[in-house]
Amino acid sequence: MKKFHAVAIDGPAGSGKSTIAKRLAKELGYVYVDTGAIYRTVGYYIWICGIGGRDGDGVRRLLDDVNVRIEYPGDGLQHMFLNGRDITEDIRTPEISSYASQVSAHKCVRDFLLDTQRDLAASHNVIMDGRDIGTVVLPDAEVKIFLTASPEVRARRRHSELQEKGCKDSYEKVLADMKQRDHQDSTRAIAPLRQAEDAVLLDTSEMDLEEAIAAAKSIILGKLETV
Ligand code: DC
């Protein structure tokens, strides 16, 4: 019998995965694992090395020099360390979003990060969010949610987040980048973004944050009751 429970939340950028997962992990006493941050860490390294994210050979060569460490120091944040340096804040730029999406399409990168994600779920109760958690990383997760919202709603949310951080990108640019990333993430050959057959679909286009959290919580508690 499995010792720990896993909640898998997959969905496109800006669907609210991390905000909802973070809040519910705290309420349930689970560890929140943001797998996008793990891909961003690799994307960040490839970016600072000046290699194109689509350059498969270049990316593969550089992976030998990448050491990714995840820490939960108790401030509610998942801290990402790249070769010993805390780069938690540095990976939250539109440029690194795009790099993360590009490098995550390479099999070598996905293989490189798979055990890191599975090891966390083997040693903690987790709410893990990403693109392929319910389909590939944790196919036996007790709860699977596919979270989505219309591209316009997701872009509006992401645009306000970026504005709060001082980023001047227009709403139109954020929407275009998001559509491009959705396309890239859902059409790649390996572990594309898609809803697992046994995942519950939750569309938050018409919901505010509290309604979305309540809806996700009710799905999670309902499923956990049956295991
Ligand atoms: O969740 P995010 O926006 O921080 O993710 C950044 C990119 O990382 C996303 O565009 C695709 C990739 N990713 C992935 O391929 N698989 C995951 N499980 C999580 C993220």
Side-chain angles (χ1 to χ4, degrees):
M1 206 173 92
K2 271 175 81 187
K3 272 218 281 277
F4 296 99
H5 293 320
V7 176
I9 304 186
D10 289 303
S15 55
K17 299 185 301 291
S18 61
T19 315
I20 294 173
K22 208 182 292 172
R23 174 88 88 79
L24 292 180
K26 197 168 177 200
E27 283 189 25
L28 296 171
Y30 279 32
V31 172
Y32 165 53
V33 183
D34 171 1
T35 63
I38 307 178
Y39 283 95
R40 283 171 182 270
T41 300
V42 174
Y44 179 75
Y45 186 69
I46 305 301
W47 176 71
I48 53 174
C49 289
I51 298 292
R54 292 198 171 82
D55 175 356
D57 289 337
V59 170
R60 189 174 316 109
R61 269 196 300 276
L62 285 175
L63 279 183
D64 281 344
D65 307 330
V66 177
N67 177 271
V68 175
R69 201 173 81 240
I70 305 170
E71 281 189 15
Y72 297 94
D75 59 1
L77 267 186
Q78 169 181 307
H79 282 252
M80 296 305 307
F81 288 82
L82 168 66
N83 298 336
R85 185 160 82 84
D86 189 338
I87 45 103
T88 308
E89 294 297 329
D90 305 289
I91 57 177
R92 297 289 156 196
T93 66
E95 192 144 33
I96 301 305
S97 299
S98 167
Y99 252 79
S101 178
Q102 289 174 25
V103 303
S104 69
H106 301 301
K107 184 175 184 310
C108 57
V109 173
R110 304 206 76 82
D111 291 347
F112 178 69
L113 298 176
L114 191 58
D115 284 348
T116 304
Q117 298 167 81
R118 286 190 175 156
D119 287 351
L120 282 164
S123 48
H124 305 83
N125 288 321
V126 291
I127 297 192
M128 190 176 281
D129 80 22
R131 303 293 187 288
D132 62 337
I133 310 305
T135 51
V136 175
V137 179
L138 304 176
D140 296 332
E142 284 75 12
V143 188
K144 296 183 187 179
I145 297 177
F146 192 82
L147 198 66
T148 192
S150 71
E152 290 72 20
V153 167
R154 292 187 285 115
R156 211 172 329 113
R157 292 174 185 161
R158 185 52 56 89
H159 182 238
S160 341
E161 270 169 33
L162 288 170
Q163 273 190 322
E164 276 170 27
K165 289 186 188 160
C167 175
K168 301 259 185 303
D169 284 358
S170 66
Y171 164 78
E172 286 71 24
K173 177 171 187 311
V174 174
L175 178 62
D177 286 354
M178 193 163 261
K179 284 186 172 167
Q180 153 77 15
R181 200 142 69 93
D182 284 354
H183 178 73
Q184 204 158 258
D185 294 344
S186 51
T187 56
R188 68 185 175 215
I190 309 151
L193 167 67
R194 66 175 177 79
Q195 182 179 343
E197 275 174 22
D198 50 352
V200 178
L201 177 67
L202 179 56
D203 185 328
T204 65
S205 302
E206 307 289 329
M207 297 179 189
D208 66 21
L209 180 60
E210 292 307 320
E211 289 169 332
I213 289 174
K217 187 174 178 176
S218 138
I219 294 169
I220 293 171
L221 294 181
K223 290 271 176 189
L224 286 179
E225 245 173 40
T226 65
V227 296

